Amino acid sequence: MKNPLSPKALLLSATAAVVAVGSFYSCTTGSARSENVLVGDAASKVYVAPGKYDEFYAFFSGGYNGQIMVYGLPSGRLLKFVPVFSQNPETGYGYNEETKAMLQTTYGFTPWDDAHHTELSQTDGVPDGRWLFINGNNTPRVARVDLKTFETTEILQIPNAAGGHASPFTTPNTKYIVSATRFSVPIPNTDVPIDSYKQNFKGTLSFITADQPGKMDIAFQILMPGFNYDLGHAGKGPSDGWFFFTTYNTEQAYEKLELNASQNDKDFITAVNYRLAEQCVANGKAKNAPADYFHNVMDEKSRIAHSERKSSVKMLSPKDCPGLVYYLPTPKSPHGVDIDPTGEYIVAGGKLATVIPVHSFTKMLRAIADKQFESEVQGIPVLKYSATLAGEVQKPGLGPLHTEFDGKGNAYTTMFISSEIVKWKLGTWEVLDRMPVYYSPGHLMIPGGDSKKPWGKYLVSLNKITKDRYLPTGPELAQSAQLIDISGDKMKMLLDFPTIGEPHYAQAIPADLIKGNSLKFYKLSENTHPFVTRAEADGGITRQGKNVHIKLIAIRSHFAPDNLEGVQVGDTVYFHLTNIEQDWDIVHGFAVLGAENAEVIVAPGETRTLRWIPKTTGIYPFYCTDFCSALHQEMQGYVRVSAPGSNVALTANISAKARSQAMRAQALPNQDHKGMEMASGSR
Ligand code: K7E
Ligand code: CUA
């Protein structure tokens, strides 16, 4: 460390001190801890009796696992993984033929991303439980998860962008979700010297239409100075129609950013009047700019994903739309920007700031009207700090990152460096309470806590460093989430539970807004997959050159057909499996010896396709991978693979065994998982 007084040095030493303090608390009943925790009380508050439901669904981003985790709150029970930007061997998402197109980008098949922010769709500024959006940070993308099926149904790539971090934050009626570039790059991207950053690098803010499922698209992009845009939030209530983005690296450093991007005392919050942007676009002020991006959609009826490649966007430059963008000076390298439920206060989390600055939307409008500008940056007016400031929370702690609200006039901010949640009051800016968390929280989450109507009962701290909180599992540990009761004046720690990957953010919503809409099965009669098999007798095997298509059904407890011959080495085989069950939670799986990908899991009524290239002659068993019934272990079949050019005829039979399975199944009334337990000796 060359400069021992650099912000980074301070930051590092503070982190070290806090980890030491945290370790101390974790193995003692030190005062700071016992004050806030009522242990007996806490256990009953998170207890959800067997067979009972949790009060909230919580959706945690999976960070670098590219997925979403669904938890119940307050129990912390893990309910589901929803794969989004990553392949998932558990279900075959991204491996089977129907879903591969979901992961197409202009860079090719891109089966990984760094997923940061879950965002529930909203109606009038309140989460409504229709959809959940999430961003891919590395190869900028946004995805829609349908909360009827808990499945990724749409992915849109963001062109002219690098690092889709300030994303996918919704406007109050989900007209748009918004994504900004973290990294500035040349736009269009091209081969230039890196040290020409100031001349050539630009940022973009993308407004994406989101209220029509299957039709996400870039409504327009705004071309911005080459800073780093970190996070964003839409205005609401009086500030509806505006969007706010944290903006750092206003130094425009391109090397050693930890030092060189920490020079300016203040960076910015970027305020964008997107209603004005809409008018400017409608009035022809935007230019058609080259763009290259994919839009991938899962078709509801065939359950096959399709990709479309697009080639242009509307690009709006602030200079062609006066009044579109203003900069609000904000200390210092701000990370989160959070709008309170009334829509009046704009709270910034300046990672290196000693205060939490809060801007007033009313004062911002007045400052704009009065031209209270301190300077201009590339034609964009910079407002005076004093002219927009509502107040500063003094001595909040170290390293403020993110703030959410309880709807009762209080705000809660994570302090990354001092490892605590700080509760403070909107309007008076006084600190009301502190809760140590273990350790180093990034985001925090209150159900609806960034909306107009928070359900201010619980708060979850999403901690980055786990250390000694759980049984050790080698160098890499689960992440730690902590559930805190915020219903009273003082915060109460209730529960720790592990999360996987690195959740950056989470959102939660009352279970009642989702659970009644959950789909139980796909209707077989509506399945439009070109290789659907609706009945046992309709299966079969066909050859098209070197491609062999096998249509088969799964039902408790057999495949039909289950004996297949005539496949040759050199063929590419497609198993198109339709689950013809029409009953909730009766899924079947399919795997074949030597398959170089994942199984497929097939929901009732849907068709899924496994591609298989046999390399040697012989007999290849396949079987059902999901323990579906008492006779699951009988659910199997064989493929015969012959030499190239062999005269073995293509045949698809229902074996005597499968036929007798079918008869036994009919003889067993209501064969369900109770039956499975009774007959478990058959394993
Ligand atoms: Cu703070 Cu990506 Cu929202 Cu991580 S981000 S913590
Ligand atoms: Cu079907 Cu096991």
Side-chain angles (χ1 to χ4, degrees), residues 279-287:
Q279 286 172 24
C280 288
V281 171
N283 294 338
K285 303 288 191 220
K287 303 201 168 69

Side-chain angles (χ1 to χ4, degrees), residues 202-388:
K202 298 277 180 208
T204 53
L205 313 176
S206 301
F207 286 73
I208 298 154
T209 50
D211 51 359
Q212 301 285 320
K215 299 202 173 124
M216 284 203 292
D217 203 356
I218 310 286
F220 54 88
Q221 295 189 313
I222 301 174
L223 190 65
M224 296 293 290
F227 304 143
N228 289 43
Y229 298 87
D230 208 8
L231 284 161
H233 263 113
K236 45 183 168 274
S239 54
D240 187 17
W242 288 77
F243 215 98
F244 303 92
F245 301 90
T246 41
T247 306
Y248 68 108
N249 191 20
T250 53
E251 297 86 351
Q252 297 193 288
Y254 51 88
E255 54 186 2
K256 287 203 194 113
L257 259 65
E258 62 172 333
L259 199 63
N260 295 330
S262 304
Q263 301 299 311
N264 291 350
D265 206 38
K266 295 193 179 63
D267 295 280
F268 298 134
I269 283 174
T270 301
V272 176
N273 182 344
Y274 65 85
R275 292 267 154 71
L276 184 62
E278 289 172 336
Q279 286 172 24
C280 288
V281 171
N283 294 338
K285 303 288 191 220
K287 303 201 168 69
N288 285 323
D292 189 14
Y293 61 110
F294 268 85
H295 179 219
N296 309 320
V297 180
M298 175 64 66
D299 179 76
E300 236 181 283
K301 292 290 186 310
S302 67
R303 314 250 326 110
I304 298 174
H306 297 285
S307 296
E308 188 187 351
R309 191 166 187 160
K310 305 195 165 188
S311 59
S312 100
V313 290
K314 295 236 182 301
M315 182 76 78
L316 189 59
S317 178
K319 70 175 177 345
D320 298 328
C321 187
L324 177 65
V325 185
Y326 298 91
Y327 282 137
L328 282 61
T330 301
K332 174 172 190 174
S333 300
H335 183 57
V337 53
D338 298 287
I339 315 301
D340 87 305
T342 70
E344 165 63 11
Y345 295 123
I346 304 154
V347 179
K351 308 185 283 274
L352 305 177
T354 53
V355 297
I356 301 172
V358 183
H359 298 284
S360 151
F361 180 73
T362 312
K363 289 180 83 174
M364 184 193 92
L365 287 188
R366 206 181 306 138
I368 292 169
D370 296 348
K371 299 209 166 25
Q372 298 257 0
F373 305 142
E374 66 169 43
S375 61
E376 238 185 50
V377 173
Q378 299 183 33
I380 296 171
V382 181
L383 295 164
K384 287 192 181 132
Y385 182 60
S386 58
T388 61

Side-chain angles (χ1 to χ4, degrees), residues 329 375 483 535 578 656:
S375 61
L483 183 76
T578 301

Side-chain angles (χ1 to χ4, degrees), residues 116-117 165 231 335 401-402 442-443 464 502 504-505:
H116 276 230
H117 305 114
H165 189 255
L231 284 161
H335 183 57
L401 288 187
H402 294 285
H443 275 267
K464 296 295 186 190
E502 189 207 338
H504 284 259
Y505 186 41

Side-chain angles (χ1 to χ4, degrees), residues 455-477:
W455 292 275
K457 184 171 179 185
Y458 300 113
L459 179 153
V460 177
S461 176
L462 286 83
N463 306 320
K464 296 295 186 190
I465 313 282
T466 305
K467 295 282 188 199
D468 51 9
R469 298 303 291 178
Y470 308 128
L471 287 173
T473 55
E476 165 76 5
L477 306 172

Side-chain angles (χ1 to χ4, degrees), residues 595-626:
E596 293 165 290
N597 47 20
E599 64 169 359
V600 290
I601 283 286
V602 191
E606 78 171 350
T607 304
R608 286 285 173 261
T609 301
L610 185 106
R611 180 172 173 266
W612 177 58
I613 302 174
K615 306 253 172 43
T616 55
T617 60
I619 300 298
Y620 290 81
F622 56 85
Y623 73 102
C624 173
T625 49
D626 186 287

